[in-house]
Amino acid sequence: MLTKADDFPIHQTPEPIAYSGTDRNFYDRYFFNGYNPDGSGFFAVAFGVYPHLNIADAHFSTIRDGVEYCIHASKVLNMERWDLEVGPIRIEVIEPLQTLKVTLAATDGIAAEFTFDGRAFPIEEPRFVRRNGPRVFMDYTRLTQNGRYTGWIEIDGKREALATGAVGTRDRSWGVRPIGAPDMQPTVPAGPQGFFWQWSPLNFPHQSVFFHINADTEGVPWNTRAVVSPDGAKAHEMIETEAATMSVDLDGDSRHAKTARLTIPMPNAAPVEIAFTPIGKFQMRGIGYIHPKWGHGRYQGGDLVVEREDFVLADAAPGSLENLHIQAICTVELTQDGKPAQQGIGVFEQLVIGPYAPLGLK
């Protein structure tokens, strides 16, 4: 099954590019988020390719006046992975690892166009490998990069340009994750049913800070790292550590943070302390994560299916499964002994399913 990608020197196996190993859960995804310097105008995009399901899907979502506006699109892939377009949503790689453009053609009153330009070289996160007993649950690689945006978003005839200084994050990940229809036969015996994830890409005036942690139900990390990346830094010019810690005060009975504080030990210097103040919430179901209908890799019943969805954020019950996965838009303050404080903006992504002992969650 030869496709357009086969004419480029990018093969990793003796097979044509259309075949991605043997795991039906193999995926290849783009993610973007962005926001104005004051945290307003938040938007996000997810674009996924699922070679063994023969599906590609894409999602655009933005917040305006307390409403999350979404466009979902899904198509039959026909084994052609080179076309970065699903219905009205298109991605263009203008300069690999540096500049990308996303376009949402006018669809049911929503349109957008924006360009991402990286602030430094992307970071390669530690490989995520997790098994449920003998079965692979996750095995993937992800690159992450903060950047600056230019562009605009239009909703029902009202076009708003991104403000000067708009920033955000993109990532690219590929490998194995649960996608499409759930497995009908889970592994036995069943182990602890839980998933704990925090991710915080942060933008400061002259540098970026990244932190993530996956932990088991007792709070023991199985994948974690923090990175401090000055603007323009190459990979070897960044500071990395696996010893950073995040403390969280939960908001009432929810599984989301009311406040948080990140501590990053620094080589031959005082630790960096970052205080988080949430100022808004983005529901990740708006771009397909744990969406009851538009979950990633789901067949939607046609060669191309496109749908608009709007929902009021205040009506999203925080305890419902589809609302557990969020990105909290946060103002952040970075302090370090002997240096002036820095003010920044970023997100605190959170997904906690099942028990998590350090926060007393059952």
Side-chain angles (χ1 to χ4, degrees):
M1 177 59 200
L2 296 179
T3 62
K4 298 174 185 177
D6 285 303
D7 217 9
F8 294 82
I10 57 176
H11 294 83
Q12 297 279 57
T13 76
E15 297 277 15
I17 291 294
Y19 307 123
S20 301
T22 58
D23 196 308
R24 59 88 72 183
N25 283 336
F26 188 90
Y27 80 101
D28 219 330
R29 179 172 298 143
Y30 293 82
F31 166 85
F32 299 82
N33 72 16
Y35 35 87
N36 294 323
D38 63 357
S40 65
F42 189 96
F43 64 89
V45 171
F47 188 112
V49 175
Y50 316 100
H52 293 298
L53 303 184
N54 208 24
I55 296 291
D57 53 31
H59 312 261
F60 170 86
S61 186
T62 188
I63 296 172
R64 189 177 292 181
D65 299 326
V67 177
E68 193 163 323
Y69 297 91
C70 316
I71 295 292
H72 307 288
S74 173
K75 74 174 182 179
V76 175
L77 184 62
N78 292 316
M79 301 180 76
E80 181 54 78
R81 298 168 63 185
W82 197 252
D83 292 330
L84 298 181
E85 186 169 354
V86 179
I89 301 173
R90 182 174 75 254
I91 294 176
E92 299 172 71
V93 180
I94 297 172
E95 181 181 346
L97 304 182
Q98 180 61 39
T99 306
L100 295 91
K101 182 179 179 181
V102 179
T103 303
L104 168 62
T107 304
D108 294 336
I110 302 178
E113 182 178 287
F114 51 85
T115 299
F116 172 97
D117 192 62
R119 298 183 62 173
F121 194 78
I123 66 171
E124 180 184 338
E125 294 172 347
R127 183 169 171 176
F128 293 78
V129 181
R130 188 69 169 171
R131 292 180 180 271
N132 286 338
R135 187 175 305 174
V136 173
F137 172 63
M138 287 182 167
D139 183 2
Y140 68 92
T141 293
R142 188 169 80 160
L143 68 83
T144 302
Q145 184 178 36
N146 277 4
R148 297 183 173 89
Y149 282 100
T150 56
W152 52 267
I153 298 171
E154 182 175 307
I155 301 174
D156 296 331
K158 184 178 180 181
R159 179 175 296 193
E160 294 184 0
L162 300 178
T164 301
V167 290
T169 305
R170 78 173 186 103
D171 72 44
R172 277 275 297 113
S173 64
W174 58 91
V176 175
R177 281 186 185 176
I179 57 170
D183 196 317
M184 295 299 292
Q185 182 173 336
T187 55
V188 291
Q193 297 301 306
F195 186 79
F196 181 85
W197 166 250
Q198 294 175 337
W199 179 47
S200 293
L202 309 174
N203 286 274
F204 294 95
H206 304 294
Q207 65 180 355
S208 298
V209 175
F210 305 90
F211 168 76
H212 78 266
I213 178 173
N214 269 132
D216 66 20
T217 57
E218 296 301 313
V220 178
W222 56 267
N223 194 304
T224 185
R225 191 175 64 169
V227 178
V228 179
S229 172
D231 281 0
K234 299 179 175 60
H236 69 278
E237 296 171 323
M238 302 175 188
I239 297 170
E240 304 177 9
T241 178
E242 295 184 0
T245 56
M246 178 79 82
S247 61
V248 170
D249 292 324
L250 293 179
D251 187 5
D253 294 331
S254 79
R255 291 171 174 251
H256 301 148
K258 181 179 181 181
T259 60
R261 190 170 189 87
L262 175 64
T263 301
I264 305 175
M266 300 292 283
N268 305 313
V272 164
E273 301 279 350
I274 302 175
F276 291 69
T277 302
I279 59 173
K281 182 187 292 186
F282 174 79
Q283 295 291 161
M284 291 290 280
R285 68 179 166 101
I287 52 173
Y289 290 85
I290 322 184
H291 194 293
K293 176 182 178 183
W294 285 95
H296 296 150
R298 295 291 186 96
Y299 176 56
Q300 297 299 327
D303 288 345
L304 175 64
V305 180
V306 180
E307 181 177 281
R308 171 174 169 169
E309 178 187 25
D310 305 347
F311 56 88
V312 177
L313 285 166
D315 295 340
S320 298
L321 177 62
E322 67 269 20
N323 295 326
L324 291 181
H325 195 179
I326 68 163
Q327 288 193 345
I329 306 142
C330 299
T331 59
V332 286
E333 182 179 59
L334 185 154
T335 56
Q336 187 179 23
D337 286 351
K339 297 183 179 180
Q342 298 179 41
Q343 309 301 315
I345 189 82
V347 301
F348 184 16
E349 182 172 320
Q350 305 156 62
L351 175 59
V352 187
I353 297 176
Y356 189 67
L359 293 177
L361 298 172
K362 305 298 183 181

